Amino acid sequence: MATYQEFIQQNEDRDGVRFSWNLWPSSRLEATRLVVPVSCLFTPLKERLDLPPVQYEPVLCGRATCRAVLNPLCQVDFRAKIWACNFCFQRNPFPPTYAGISDVNQPAELMPQFSTIEYIVQRGPPTPLIFLYVVDICLEEEDLQALKESLQMSLSLLPPNALVGLITFGRMVQVHELSCEGIAKSYVFRGTKDLSAKQIQEMLGLIKPTVAGPQGHPVAPQDAHTSCRFLQPVQKVDMNLTDLLGELQRDPWPVAQGKRPLRSTGIALSIAVGLLEGTFPNTGARVMLFTGGPPTQGPGMVVGDELKTPIRSWHDIQKDNARHLKKATKYYEALANRAAVNGHCIDIYACSLDQTGLLEMKCCSNLTGGHIVMGDSFNTSLFKQTFQRVFSKDFNNEFRMAFGATMEVKTSRELKVSGAIGPCVSLNSKGPCVSENEMGIGGTSQWKICGMNPSTTLALYFEVVNQHNAPIPQGGRGAIQFVTQYQHSNTQRRIRVTTIARNWADAQSQIQHIEASFDQEASAVLMARLGVFRAESEEGPDVLRWLDRQLIRLFMFHLRRSPFLQVFNNSPDESSYYRHHFIRQDLTQSLIMVQPILYSYSFYGPPEPVLLDSSSILADRILLMDTFFQLVIYHGETIAQWRKAGYQDMPEYENFKQLLHAPLDDAQEILQTRFPMPRYIDTEHGGSQARFLLSKVNPSQTHNNLYAWGQESGAPILTDDVSLQVFMDHLKKLAVSSAA
Amino acid sequence: MNVNQQPHIATPYGQPPLQGYQVYGQPGYGGPHATPYGPYNGHNAAYQQDAPPQPPGYPPYSSFPSKTFAAGLSSDLSSSSSFGLGPGRVPPSSGTPPVSAPGYDQYPQGEVQNGPALIASQPPRPPASQAYAQVPVTLPATQPLYHQQYQAPPTSTQQVTNQMAGMQIGTAPSQAGPYAPPTSSHLPSSTAFPTPGNPSYTSQAVPPSQPPPNVGVQQGPHPPTYGGPPHVPQQPFPGSALPPVSQQSFPTAPTPSTQASLGAPPLPQPYGGGPPVSAHSQFPGSLPPHQAAVSQPSPYRSAPPPTGFTPSGGAPAPARPTPGMHGPPFPPQSVSAPPGPQPNHIGAPPMQLGVPAGPPTGPLPQQNGAFGQMRGPQPGYGAPYPGQPNFGSQPQAPAPAPPAQKRLDPNSIPSPKASEMQPVLKTRHRIDPDAIPSPIQVIEDDKASKSGEVFMTGVRGQAPPLVTTPFQVKDQGNASPHFIRCTAYNMPCTSDMAKQSQVPLAAIIKPLATLPENEGPLPIVDHGESGPIRCNRCKAYMCPYMQFIEGGRRFQCAFCSCVTEVPPHYFQHLDHTGKRVDCYERPELSLGSYEFLATVEYCKNNQLPQPPAFIFLIDVSYNAVRSGMVAVVCEELRTLLDTLPSEPGTDCPIRVGFVTYNKVLHFYNVKSSLAQPQMLVVSDVADMFVPLLDGFLVTVGESRTVINSLLQQIPEMFADTRETETVFGPVIQAGLEALKAADCAGRLFIFHSTLPIAEAPGKLKNREDKKLVGTDKEKSLFQPQVSFYGNLAKECVAQGCCVDLFLFPNQYVDVTTLGAVPCSTGGSVYKYAHFQAQTDRDRFLNDLRRDVKKQMGFDAIMRVRTSTGIRATDFFGSFYMSNTTDVELAGLDCDKTITVEFRHDDKLCEDTGALLQCAVLYTSCRGQRRLRIHNLAVNCCSQLAELYRHCETDALVNFFAKYAYRSVLSSPTKTVRDSLVNQCAQILACYRKNCASPSSAGQLILPECMKLLPVYLNCVLKSEVLQPGGDASLDDRAYLRQLVSCMDVAESHAFFYPRLLPLHKLDVEGRALPTAVRDSEERLSRDGLYLLENGLSLFLWVGVAAPPDLLRSVFDVSAFSEINPNMTSLPTLDNPFSKRLHEIIEMFREQRSRYMKLMVVKQEDRLEPLFKHFLVEDKSSNGGASYVDFLCHMHKEIRQLLS
């Protein structure tokens, strides 16, 4: 363990954990002085090639309030066959199956390298994965066609035994029956009337309304599994379904001039949730919503069908002028919570040039761990490939998705957990390790994450509760255990346990050590998440002020300018979209989001990262900017002219051709791996799309100071935003004054 | 007819015939009618054959009858009535003859004389009484009934009988009598009304009767005077056929009664004379039977009545001819009329004139429509009497042979009970059923005189032929009777008169009636972009009655007198008569019925309408599938869809849609681009909506394959269904929403099986509770259970959504409630209880085919405009009204009839008459907006007699039935029945009081054209709706109630008085149908085969003693016992009889708007009680009175009103 850098890297690789501080201040007082709380980014399902799951169940601490899992940090008495829980210090006997345990014969969970270990548990029959497509049919013909093809294609990507269902909606909502021969049947619901899950099931004929009553509990999943005509194994109905999808028509209801098509997204989702709720509670399921526009009728309506009424903008929201916003948001939140309770996740694939109501609907994905993908059209590679990537597989040829996970956090006594930020909901599990001080989603030690993939990352915030006057003995360690139960994509139930420990340090005497253990990147992301979380729940300027107060010392210039906190130039939907991803991506990706990466390609040397500054925009360079959401290739003025002149096609300018290709290849590499697919933009100096670049770079040169900086260095940005230079100057002043 | 029933007679019945006689004589004769009465009496007697005893009386009477109709009638009646009534009547007549002849007074005297005659009669009476005794079966029964019901047992019965007799007599005799006197003087005038009768009488009577004895004298004089004779002969002809029969009867008659012989001899002779009268024969015929029966009377009656009748007939005939002359005759008629008709009944003095007129009038009025011809029918009265088998005698004079046959029939008829005894028995009876007005006779007479004739509508106020008579129409400015029939063609000028008479003024309008091929279609008039020319004030449409003035620059509205400018493009010069030069080129100026092309202002939302859509909604619950209904419907639809209605030369623009349902609804997407239909299930029945638009409604041509595939799969898909619950309200809502979404009008065809108990709007519960029947709460059972359907109907109408409902119930389904929407939207309800695919398939499919193919108007609004003075105040039928004037019909098909009642709000003018204009704005099946206009002008009168002379009983009954059937919604059925009886009694009493001669109160005098009112009214009263019986379910009653509310006159006629054909008399060679027989069990012969139809059911009744040959040629079995009573179709056999029978059945079915399932009823088998229900002249099992009993009751009511 040479440096903290390596230590951090190692920990991240092994346990998927990055802490803001790798030495923990030993008292509450010191901890609060550090401004950045003890916190971590945790990736529960981090891909581990070297981690074969074990085929038995974990051994739990016997104390009812603890139930920690046996881990390498426990003290074990091999002779007495007893182990001491390192969280509550309870001494537990080993179960009979561990009779043969000894120094040399230790189970995996006791070996230090298995600080993260995965158990496969056999509980109940395996339940197949469920994919319920909820498809908007108020699309343009072209879009619908593309979507249909994507959906048909997706059938081949699903596991053969997965259950699949189809709901289409427009003015009406249709639940398609898949098991039927001959005539295609579907159940139709009016798009304006909300129904309870029970009503939906009655209407779908899944339960007899008359039977309901004392013993009218919903049909057991087992029965539902065999009897539900709406969710059928892919292998059984793929032909049917392919035909069905092929025959999908655009919503036949006429759309009058000056009107939006009537789109019953709210009811469609409600029915999807209700259907799964009744038939497959607590079973991993994905509701995949494909929509091409805002909900325009019924509960969950975001905008009326009059085209003359534009969809709400940030301006409207700030003026409290968005009449459907609160109601719709509340509606979708209620839906999301229902889905979350049953372990179902909701994806939203929204492709439209205008807003689609993601602001209102985002909670559906945020609370259930579903994806949000935003694009311009279903007929773009952005959507097509992103959608394909949802079904990507890992090296074990298993889907990179997990369902219905619950994550529990256990801490040693000096620590308590304040909350989590990520695509999760609270399970309201009060326990000894729950802090009263909430940060993010707090007040619990367990969270539910209905949909996860290996990169899903939660931010967890802790509070040091040890009092200043009760010092921890030198060399004492604090421990945290993450227990994540989930349904693997191969339908197994699994439990992954990660146990980590850090040393305590006295901030007064060992401040330099603590400083050294500071993880700037993790802290930046953790604080950014807090900021975003606040931005979501509070409103605009307050958040920025808070951030300013908190971050003065963190120099987070770019974060301040990022779309996560700034709504200027972004629609509410875009903001929601960006925040959604920011809150769930891992550290690296999050950093890219905060501070985009800028590479420069030139004849003067190999590609090099350059400052995200207007000064980097030069005429003879090609720039590649990765903002996570966008991938911009910008050709400088000269390059663009050359390209226009066709030099790249001349054999003697082969090198120019290569130069042009270099960023494309790099971009391709990024495109290959990222989910969701970034928007790929190829532009040049003066091109309209160059705005994506110009809006990101530090406006060191603007129309205000252009001449002061000389003409040949970079491109001026026409903005009134302060540049990093100004920001820094100001910051220094503040830092000095506030230090006092 | 004005049958002057004399209460006295009644008493006489009860008492010795003498009284009766006297009574008869008095009343009948007493009146101006005296003479007529005489004859009538004779008739009566004849009718009353019941009074066989009378025969003796008859003889004397016979003279009377002979004089008047008596002869004619007597011939028929004589046989029958002579006995019963005969005595009473006859005597007077006989006695009177001389008297009567002399003068009306004499008649009365005659009656008096009758008294004397009585003596003679008395002798006969004994037999009569015996007869009664024997007959007792009927009589006694009746009597008791009377007593019970009416309370006035003996007397009443007698009275009735008397009345009956009186009635006939009254008419006949009066006619004769009056005729004679008046004839001479009145002849011309009389011709119009009385004349016909009179002349006939006189004429006939004269020659025949005169020759005979006294009778001859009386009659003689008249006839001659009338000159009727000549006329008579003419008319008689038709009747003549009958006469022969009567003649036969004569012979028989004579033989039986010695006394009769006296009368008889002369009478017969008269008859002989009668023969010439042939026309009269009918009357005589009628009488004859009686006579025949009576034996003695027979002669009388035969002779006299025939004469009388025949004459009457003949006379009428002549008269009619004159009327036929229209122009000329009318005036005379009018002249005579006043005296005639009124006098007849009323004053003796005028009576002479009047009398003749009277009797004739009696007949005439009926005939009024066509006097000359009509009269024939009048004689018909006689005829009816004679007409019936008994009457066979009627034919006497004219057509001996036929009568004979008829007689045979009669014989056969009575035979079942006591054929041999008949004469005697009958005579004994108080009232001989043959002596009372016979519907069959009236129908046959009308047929005989008018069938095949072209009815010209150009003459204002003429009554059209009866609905049972086939006739052609030439539109000359008034709407054809196919479209409009009225209860009265001569409306009272003032509301006082109307109130006094109590005759409802109503028009029965069938706006889209299908015309015979040689009469249609109506011309379509296009007045260009500005739309049809209308009156500025009342908005009446241009019609032949608009008066152009100022050289054609303006026109004056015939309805409100407002003057309106003629638009320049419509201007035309007038000729010297003030008519537009182009008058005959423009349908709207020359025809009674035509159509306008409507402009966009006449359309909903000012948009031209879309073509309509048909949506088929099929119940696929367990019961529907199991009964085979689903399979049958689906299979049929595949071919039926090719025959959707379209207009000639255009493709069918109608779109179709399909829905199946049980507890939830399944819509089908059958868009042509699909390979397979798609099913869309809507389970949210609480809040119905249409799940798709495009693809739901398609044109058959484009989506043929998809639709076929769907119809093929529906039965398979639901073959294993276990769902037993259904919804109903949401089903209609679904169709409605679909039409709304498509923005068009249309029809829903709902095929439904069970009570909708599933949780949904419009859910119903089983409320069939037998205990409520007959209580004050019963009316609630005729009201919808929930208000939901009423509101739904309103919405449907607003959208032009017409709902047709086909029900296939196995138990109570609450037809009342389910039918609420169809009934308000112009739709129909069809009910197939216990439907089984094998047996009911044909009936259902034929109904369905017909229903789907019907020419329809959609989204229709009907408005009836009238001349100032009256206005339409009440409407009956299947429609919805949101205000008091506009009848809104979501759909209007060619069978739907709307009955409109008019009330005075001012005075009408005799000169101008009254005008009706019925305008129906509708969308044709190809989506064209049109206006159909029907105009009808009727006369107005300031004399009640005119009113009574121009009524149409069938239309009246139609109105009464609808009125009563609607009243059960608000009043207990008993109240409804009572008020109905009361109103009719008032009508008749008013006639008796104001139009009939001051005869004895005991005489029942009926207006000629209302003489069938009692029998028909009785049928209405005993219908299941008004008189619940044990076996009629609530659903049945509700179903019939709704059905009747939109029936036209022809249908209501058959419905209330079923047609009963003696098939064993079928002439397999000829095209003619055998003459129907009256709906009474005693008309059924044990060795006969009868076909009965009422528009809904078809029965083939087989007598136990039916000859094996007959059975073999019909059923292909050799013995009665081998006939399978469950068969619903007859084997097709290669023999003429079978072929002809099939033809007839086919023809019947063709005539009715609903397919009639054939049921074979074996005598004394289990189905017979059901069959007997349709023998409406008999006492019914549910307590309905027999015709005879009811008539007595009616008479009593009338007398009470008069006293």
Side-chain angles (χ1 to χ4, degrees), chain B residues 144-201:
Chain B
L145 288 180
Y146 281 89
H147 300 292
Q148 296 175 348
Q149 299 177 342
Y150 306 83
Q151 293 182 342
T155 55
S156 66
T157 55
Q158 293 176 348
Q159 291 176 351
V160 174
T161 56
N162 294 337
Q163 295 170 350
M164 300 305 298
M167 297 183 55
Q168 300 170 344
I169 296 169
T171 56
S174 66
Q175 293 173 350
Y179 281 94
T183 47
S184 60
S185 62
H186 295 284
L187 281 184
S189 64
S190 66
T191 54
F193 301 80
T195 47
N198 294 335
S200 67
Y201 282 88

Side-chain angles (χ1 to χ4, degrees), chain B residues 1 290 299:
Chain B
M1 293 294 292
H290 301 289

Side-chain angles (χ1 to χ4, degrees), chain A residues 172 174 176-177 181-193 195 202-205 208-210 244 247-249 252-254, chain B residues 663-664 668-669 671 673-684 686-694 710 713 717 723 725 741:
Chain A
M172 309 286 168
Q174 280 174 264
H176 295 264
E177 194 174 311
E181 310 278 318
I183 291 185
K185 288 186 201 169
S186 56
Y187 283 67
V188 188
F189 296 83
R190 168 172 263 184
T192 51
K193 189 178 170 190
L195 301 163
E202 279 174 20
M203 289 183 182
L204 291 175
K208 286 258 172 204
T210 49
L244 191 58
E247 285 203 339
L248 276 188
Q249 300 164 12
W253 295 89
Chain B
K663 214 169 56 178
V664 298
Y668 294 93
N669 184 349
K671 198 174 182 174
S673 59
L674 295 174
Q676 277 281 322
Q678 293 175 349
M679 177 203 266
L680 301 169
V681 183
V682 173
S683 345
D684 187 5
D687 192 6
M688 203 57 219
F689 62 97
V690 180
L692 80 170
L693 182 59
D694 187 30
L710 170 67
Q713 290 185 59
M717 272 193 293
E723 185 58 69
E725 292 187 1

Side-chain angles (χ1 to χ4, degrees), chain B residues 609-806:
Chain B
Q610 306 262 358
F614 286 10
I615 302 177
F616 298 88
L617 306 110
I618 306 167
D619 179 354
V620 289
S621 65
Y622 176 75
N623 283 324
V625 172
R626 199 192 50 176
S627 72
M629 181 273 277
V630 175
V632 170
V633 170
C634 290
E635 191 192 334
E636 178 62 20
L637 282 182
R638 288 160 71 183
T639 51
L640 191 58
L641 292 178
D642 290 326
T643 58
L644 296 181
S646 63
E647 285 171 32
T650 58
D651 282 346
C652 175
I654 293 175
R655 288 173 293 168
V656 297
F658 302 88
V659 173
T660 58
Y661 66 92
N662 39 44
K663 214 169 56 178
V664 298
L665 280 82
H666 319 116
F667 293 76
Y668 294 93
N669 184 349
V670 284
K671 198 174 182 174
S672 55
S673 59
L674 295 174
Q676 277 281 322
Q678 293 175 349
M679 177 203 266
L680 301 169
V681 183
V682 173
S683 345
D684 187 5
V685 290
D687 192 6
M688 203 57 219
F689 62 97
V690 180
L692 80 170
L693 182 59
D694 187 30
F696 177 62
L697 293 177
V698 297
T699 56
V700 177
E702 287 176 8
S703 296
R704 157 69 57 197
T705 50
V706 191
I707 292 175
N708 274 350
S709 159
L710 170 67
L711 293 173
Q712 202 164 5
Q713 290 185 59
I714 287 177
E716 296 168 15
M717 272 193 293
F718 299 99
D720 302 324
T721 187
R722 319 268 303 259
E723 185 58 69
T724 55
E725 292 187 1
T726 58
V727 295
F728 187 72
V731 179
I732 298 180
Q733 284 178 322
L736 174 62
E737 292 299 324
L739 294 180
K740 269 188 192 165
D743 192 26
C744 67
R747 304 179 68 184
L748 311 183
F749 299 87
I750 304 181
F751 305 89
H752 189 77
S753 69
T754 58
L755 191 68
I757 53 169
E759 196 56 55
K763 170 185 173 180
L764 301 180
K765 57 180 192 292
N766 189 337
R767 57 166 179 171
E768 186 173 39
D769 186 357
K770 292 267 184 198
K771 277 181 288 202
L772 289 182
V773 172
T775 68
D776 284 357
K777 284 183 183 165
E778 183 178 3
K779 62 190 178 196
S780 68
L781 299 180
F782 290 110
Q783 293 161 348
Q785 210 178 110
V786 290
S787 61
F788 171 81
Y789 292 99
N791 300 331
L792 184 55
K794 209 186 290 182
E795 286 183 51
C796 286
V797 172
Q799 181 59 37
C801 166
C802 169
V803 180
D804 279 332
L805 177 60
F806 295 80

Side-chain angles (χ1 to χ4, degrees), chain A residues 234-502:
Chain A
V234 177
Q235 56 194 355
K236 196 174 145 198
V237 298
D238 60 347
M239 291 302 290
N240 249 353
L241 191 51
T242 304
D243 292 348
L244 191 58
L245 287 168
E247 285 203 339
L248 276 188
Q249 300 164 12
R250 292 183 60 201
D251 198 36
W253 295 89
V255 179
Q257 194 80 32
K259 301 262 189 180
R260 294 187 177 90
L262 288 175
R263 199 179 257 113
S264 326
T265 320
I267 294 300
L269 272 182
S270 160
I271 288 172
V273 169
L275 172 62
L276 290 174
E277 191 171 76
T279 50
F280 293 95
N282 298 314
T283 306
R286 263 200 126 76
V287 175
M288 308 175 92
L289 170 68
F290 303 86
T291 182
T296 47
Q297 71 166 359
M301 162 169 131
V302 165
V303 63
D305 67 339
E306 289 283 352
L307 268 178
K308 67 184 178 197
T309 321
I311 193 167
R312 79 278 176 282
S313 65
W314 278 120
H315 185 73
D316 294 330
I317 293 170
Q318 278 153 12
K319 298 265 180 201
D320 200 16
N321 217 0
R323 39 190 295 257
H324 304 292
L325 176 67
K326 288 207 176 92
K327 230 169 112 188
T329 307
K330 203 173 157 200
Y331 175 79
Y332 289 111
E333 269 175 7
L335 269 187
N337 281 316
R338 275 169 60 193
V341 165
N342 289 294
H344 305 138
C345 80
I346 301 175
D347 293 347
I348 301 176
Y349 303 86
C351 288
S352 169
L353 289 171
D354 197 0
Q355 299 188 71
T356 55
L358 280 183
L359 173 65
E360 288 83 358
M361 295 192 285
K362 64 179 182 219
C363 50
C364 290
S365 296
N366 285 348
L367 301 186
T368 63
H371 303 301
I372 293 182
V373 175
M374 195 171 86
D376 290 343
S377 158
F378 288 108
N379 198 18
T380 56
S381 62
L382 184 147
F383 165 74
K384 289 178 184 171
Q385 295 190 26
T386 304
F387 181 55
Q388 217 165 336
R389 211 155 290 161
V390 172
F391 302 100
S392 63
K393 294 184 177 175
D394 64 14
F395 52 89
N396 283 329
N397 208 24
E398 286 170 342
F399 289 103
R400 287 193 166 98
M401 56 177 84
F403 295 96
T406 56
M407 189 193 71
E408 183 173 11
V409 176
K410 300 182 191 305
T411 58
S412 50
R413 288 177 180 171
E414 301 83 2
L415 274 178
K416 286 188 192 250
V417 61
S418 305
I421 295 179
C424 58
V425 290
S426 159
L427 279 178
N428 273 325
S429 162
K430 309 288 185 197
C433 57
V434 176
S435 161
E436 292 172 1
N437 201 358
E438 289 188 26
M439 299 180 84
I441 305 166
T444 180
S445 62
Q446 288 185 33
W447 292 265
K448 184 148 196 169
I449 314 158
C450 298
M452 294 176 89
N453 61 24
S455 68
T456 302
T457 301
L458 279 80
L460 289 154
Y461 300 87
F462 301 92
E463 185 184 18
V464 177
V465 292
N466 195 40
Q467 292 303 315
H468 188 60
N469 50 11
I472 296 167
Q474 185 70 29
R477 305 179 83 193
I480 297 176
Q481 188 173 58
F482 303 98
V483 181
T484 311
Q485 304 190 35
Y486 67 99
Q487 179 187 352
H488 193 262
S489 60
N490 65 8
T491 77
Q492 287 168 338
R493 287 303 298 185
R494 292 192 182 189
I495 300 175
R496 185 184 277 219
V497 179
T498 298
T499 314
I500 54 99
R502 292 291 186 274

